[in-house]
Amino acid sequence: MHGGAGYIAAERRAAHAEGCARAAEVGAAILRAGGSAVDAVEAAVRALEDDPLFNAGTGACLNEDGVIELDAAIMEGATLRAGGVAAMPPFKNPIAIARAAMEDGRHVLYAAHGAARFAMSKGFARATVDELRTDHAYDRWRALKDGQATEKGYAGGTVGAVARDAQGHVAAATSTGGMMDKAAGRVGDTPLLGAGTWADDDHGAASTTGHGEAFIRTAFAVRVVEGLAHATDLEAHLAADLSRMRARTGSCGGVILVDCKGSAAWARNTETMSWAVVRMDGAGESRESGA
Ligand code: ASP
């Protein structure tokens, strides 16, 4: 699980790590009961969409017009089925709508008003900006607009999950409000398969966070997953790909990954990234989290 790369103020870090740990546990409970990786990542991401600390669903950041446009995607490694929504008007749980698109199967990615129309056709209720906007998201945006803050772009809070289930299938899911003060209609890496979200049982699954334009330009998620074929040390592999992205684009971020054998790893080259992992095997379970 990740809860976004960027910069999280020191006093908020513990809460971000705890949120990730709780969400990872939601996914782990599904896997423990024999559920699928795709169910686990959807439920885990949904948990953080509902947590106002994070920049996804409730708590999503505001764009240059002060409104919320949401990006999310989910992908199943066994079948390469996937669904996504981009620049979608407010809905409480974009990842559930991405899942509905995946299950529906007609198209992979829905944008803007078409995404809202698709969601409503599947029974999802529209939310208002007021329902999803938190004081924290508004205050950060207001400070930026008033020239009181230099902070722009990614400031932590995108959410993502990867998992491998007992059948050996992997899945990835990512959800975000995107970058604060982004242009209307801007789409980040999160809903773009191969950039911010990727899952393929042959190799593994990844979810990214950070400067979306850089992840798009480097096709980051698919390359980091396919690169597993030649990787021996997972952390070093992730760190090397983030370094290459920084060298080629000047931008930073973070990534979580699970390989097809079930090993999990994460890396970041931003100041912070909240994360959590639950490892389960025949020998038992272990948990870790941080920010
Ligand atoms: N990657 C996200 C985007 O560019 C932002 C983030 O991860 O903080 O939309």
Side-chain angles (χ1 to χ4, degrees), residues 2 4-6 55 71 153-159 174-180 182 186-191 196 208-213 215-216:
H2 73 73
N55 171 19
D71 291 346
Y154 55 100
T158 289
V159 308
T174 319
S175 181
T176 188
M179 315 240 304
M180 184 168 54
K182 66 186 182 181
R186 178 262 187 186
V187 174
D189 56 323
T190 298
T208 70
T209 169
H211 190 201
E213 280 70 7
F215 286 102
I216 295 170

Side-chain angles (χ1 to χ4, degrees), residues 85-153:
V85 292
M88 183 175 69
F91 279 85
K92 203 166 176 304
N93 292 114
I95 200 64
I97 300 167
R99 175 74 188 266
M102 180 179 112
E103 297 299 339
D104 180 75
R106 180 177 178 202
H107 300 301
V108 169
L109 183 60
Y110 291 85
H113 297 298
R117 193 196 297 182
F118 170 79
M120 288 186 290
S121 80
K122 294 291 177 187
F124 293 95
R126 244 181 126 133
T128 62
V129 174
D130 286 349
E131 282 169 315
L132 299 192
R133 185 177 50 207
T134 57
D135 290 346
H136 179 69
Y138 179 77
D139 291 348
R140 282 174 59 220
W141 178 82
R142 192 68 262 171
L144 193 71
K145 288 293 192 194
D146 291 346
Q148 306 285 312
T150 48
E151 178 194 10
K152 201 170 173 113

Side-chain angles (χ1 to χ4, degrees), residues 165-286:
D165 62 31
Q167 282 68 48
H169 300 312
V170 298
T174 319
S175 181
T176 188
M179 315 240 304
M180 184 168 54
D181 206 36
K182 66 186 182 181
R186 178 262 187 186
V187 174
D189 56 323
T190 298
L192 301 183
L193 301 174
T197 305
W198 187 255
D200 177 351
D201 274 9
D202 285 350
H203 302 287
S207 169
T208 70
T209 169
H211 190 201
E213 280 70 7
F215 286 102
I216 295 170
R217 288 163 57 203
T218 55
F220 193 94
V222 64
R223 288 178 65 171
V224 82
V225 168
E226 297 212 330
L228 287 170
H230 314 287
T232 44
D233 178 327
L234 287 190
E235 266 95 17
H237 169 61
L238 300 184
D241 273 17
L242 287 173
S243 296
R244 188 179 60 205
M245 183 176 87
R246 175 154 55 185
R248 296 301 305 273
T249 68
S251 293
C252 297
V255 55
I256 56 170
L257 176 138
V258 64
D259 74 10
C260 56
K261 298 187 200 75
S263 297
W266 61 270
R268 61 170 165 84
N269 57 7
T270 46
E271 212 157 323
T272 65
M273 179 176 85
S274 54
W275 59 277
V277 57
V278 179
R279 295 188 168 88
M280 303 183 229
D281 58 28
E285 291 190 18
S286 68

Side-chain angles (χ1 to χ4, degrees), residues 13-83:
R13 283 179 203 166
H16 278 247
E18 279 158 27
C20 287
R22 272 195 304 274
E25 191 48 49
V26 167
I30 289 172
L31 296 175
R32 201 179 289 123
S36 70
V38 76
D39 281 345
V41 295
E42 181 193 347
V45 163
R46 212 179 156 123
L48 291 193
E49 287 179 338
D50 289 340
D51 186 330
L53 268 188
F54 294 89
N55 171 19
T58 305
C61 67
L62 308 182
N63 75 2
E64 64 182 4
D65 297 333
V67 299
I68 287 174
E69 292 187 331
L70 300 161
D71 291 346
I74 189 163
M75 186 165 185
E76 179 178 74
T79 57
L80 305 183
R81 289 192 312 153

